[in-house]
Amino acid sequence: MSKFLFIQTLGCAMNVRDSEHIIAELQKSADYKLTDDLTKADLILINTCSVREKPVHKLFSEIGAFEKAKKSGAKIGVLGCTASHLGAEIFKRAPYVDFVLGARNTSKIVAALNSPKFISTDINYDDSEYAFGDFRSSPYKAYVNIMIGCDKKCTYCIVPQTRGDEISIPLNLILKEVEKAATNGAKEIFLLGQNVNNYGKRFSNSHKKVDFSDLLNEISQVNGVERIRFTSPHPLHMDDKFLDVFVNNNKICKSMHMPLQSGSTKILKDMKRGYTKEWFLNRALKLRNICPEVCISTDIIVAYPGESNDDFEDTMDVINQVKFEQIFSFKFSPRPLTPAANLIPIEDNIASMRLKMLQDRHTQILDEIMLKQNGKKFEVYFEELRENNQVAGRTFSNFSVLVKGSEELLGKILEVEIIEPKRMVLYGKVIS
Ligand code: SAH
Ligand code: SF4
Ligand code: F3S
């Protein structure tokens, strides 16, 4: 008889894909079926994030609630980045946890399930050539990992400690996965890695020389692929060749994530980001110039230790010049095992004030951007049913669109006219 699996995923898109891999392995080798009813589950998994302090606290409150609600005999496993960084401490703080499996050890899930108090948090483990089973949460959009780990070692970031060094996945394995997803109906391929435009730097085994631009060109030729997205590229590696392929390949969605972190060259140097304010502005403004329809998103950390008012003003200046369509902004959060962990923090009230100033300015910019979309026509790929007979999709440049309709729109790319722009979403009507 099948057993039931409940899985909760926190963190980034890489965790979403890791959870899909876990589900596939458990369906294939242990006959599990997914449930969203925790009390029915024989196995409860939480795939965790460590990037800031808050999600780590969330882990312990969540698993405490799981332990109370679960049926007798059900197992609890902790996966992902916090599993990597806290390791055996999780057993100490939550003795009812059955196993701990670090972010880079996903392919060991069946072994973890079958040995008492299994723990594996090895950040040198290499499953870059492991062929995971098949499971996708959406038939329309396929996440595909192109690398594991990260070599960058930005001073504030815990990811290199949880996911280890960067290794690229061989081109033929990526293409095989893309072909399979496209054959199964996914028109959109979403490439994932911590540093995607550094693809090809290092493989586990000998491999022909290939870079991210080559990879994009190869994927765009796969039958059935209509849209390609990727995250995260690094501003440092946005050379002219990469921008040229981005603009001229008509399968690549015109949406670029450019994680700025700070607009101050001094703070960028302290963070070891490898680029200056001028380099970032040069790349972003060039991109706006050669690709007027592009949407640019970014990540920003305010109040990194040592950030002066002038440094913060530099960040605001970049925001005013680039006018990002989307900003993910965070207060600096000291993370264990990182070089920035022991620096003298900026007072929290100053950090909060800067975060608010930045977010308020972004809201003004966003309102102007969204208003300008009124009456425009976009090709929208419909992916999700929403309540009140609404269907959600995205434009090629990544605006979120809602129209009235039913499931027959799902999986289709249709022309939509915008009739009511709101701050977070454009309301439209299908015109063809
Ligand atoms: N590889 C991606 C980042 C992944 S982490 C990149 O370089 O863009 C996602 C975002 O979390 C980062 O871009 C950063 O803005 C934020 N972040 C990472 N560590 C943080 C910390 N210690 N405090 C606050 N935000 C942090
Ligand atoms: Fe973290 Fe920097 Fe790597 Fe991104 S590039 S995952 S911020 S170390
Ligand atoms: Fe979080 Fe790990 Fe992703 S720390 S952001 S889940 S790489």
Side-chain angles (χ1 to χ4, degrees), residues 217-276:
N217 283 332
E218 294 260 2
I219 292 176
S220 67
Q221 283 159 36
V222 173
N223 245 343
V225 172
E226 307 256 349
R227 292 183 167 200
I228 303 170
R229 298 189 194 277
F230 50 82
T231 202
S232 295
H234 196 293
L236 180 65
H237 303 297
M238 293 190 179
D239 54 19
D240 285 343
K241 178 184 174 195
F242 170 65
L243 292 188
D244 187 57
V245 171
F246 176 83
V247 176
N248 292 314
N249 186 317
N250 62 9
K251 298 280 174 75
I252 299 177
C253 291
K254 301 310 175 221
S255 123
M256 184 79 91
H257 188 58
M258 293 187 70
L260 169 67
Q261 313 303 357
S262 168
S264 149
T265 296
K266 175 191 171 288
I267 296 293
L268 288 168
K269 194 160 177 240
D270 291 352
M271 289 174 163
K272 294 208 164 36
R273 288 292 288 175
Y275 53 87
T276 59

Side-chain angles (χ1 to χ4, degrees), residues 6 8 10 38 44 46 55-68 76 96:
F6 173 95
Q8 185 182 356
L10 312 172
L38 179 75
I44 298 167
I46 182 162
V56 178
H57 288 311
K58 189 166 169 172
L59 162 68
F60 287 100
S61 62
E62 290 288 301
I63 53 176
F66 292 166
E67 167 65 4
K68 282 203 189 95
I76 297 180
Y96 47 84

Side-chain angles (χ1 to χ4, degrees), residues 123-313:
I123 60 165
N124 294 314
Y125 188 68
D126 177 5
D127 62 8
S128 65
E129 300 193 358
Y130 183 86
F132 285 95
D134 239 354
F135 174 84
R136 297 204 169 274
S137 24
S138 162
Y140 311 114
K141 173 171 78 182
Y143 282 133
V144 176
N145 284 350
I146 66 164
M147 54 176 50
I148 58 177
C150 180
D151 273 358
K152 281 283 184 268
K153 308 198 173 27
C154 306
T155 53
Y156 51 82
C157 182
I158 198 170
V159 173
Q161 309 292 337
T162 66
R163 292 190 180 260
D165 290 345
E166 189 176 292
I167 302 182
S168 297
I169 293 174
L171 179 66
N172 64 325
L173 294 185
I174 296 173
L175 287 176
K176 236 194 250 167
E177 219 186 311
V178 169
E179 280 159 13
K180 210 190 295 169
T183 309
N184 290 335
K187 292 191 171 102
E188 182 171 310
I189 303 296
F190 206 129
L191 306 175
L192 300 179
Q194 290 298 353
N195 235 325
V196 286
N197 50 346
N198 205 25
Y199 178 78
K201 178 180 166 197
R202 184 188 307 124
F203 292 94
S204 302
N205 289 300
S206 62
H207 194 286
K208 74 168 182 182
K209 201 170 158 25
V210 55
D211 65 14
F212 188 54
S213 303
D214 304 328
L215 175 71
L216 289 170
N217 283 332
E218 294 260 2
I219 292 176
S220 67
Q221 283 159 36
V222 173
N223 245 343
V225 172
E226 307 256 349
R227 292 183 167 200
I228 303 170
R229 298 189 194 277
F230 50 82
T231 202
S232 295
H234 196 293
L236 180 65
H237 303 297
M238 293 190 179
D239 54 19
D240 285 343
K241 178 184 174 195
F242 170 65
L243 292 188
D244 187 57
V245 171
F246 176 83
V247 176
N248 292 314
N249 186 317
N250 62 9
K251 298 280 174 75
I252 299 177
C253 291
K254 301 310 175 221
S255 123
M256 184 79 91
H257 188 58
M258 293 187 70
L260 169 67
Q261 313 303 357
S262 168
S264 149
T265 296
K266 175 191 171 288
I267 296 293
L268 288 168
K269 194 160 177 240
D270 291 352
M271 289 174 163
K272 294 208 164 36
R273 288 292 288 175
Y275 53 87
T276 59
K277 175 187 182 187
E278 288 68 32
W279 167 258
F280 187 95
L281 279 173
N282 172 288
R283 296 291 90 186
L285 298 178
K286 172 164 182 168
L287 184 59
R288 288 263 189 237
N289 192 21
I290 57 178
C291 186
E293 77 267 39
V294 73
C295 280
I296 307 180
S297 56
T298 196
D299 291 347
I300 290 172
I301 298 175
V302 299
Y304 181 82
E307 184 186 75
S308 66
N309 276 332
D310 285 352
D311 293 321
F312 177 66
E313 282 309 319

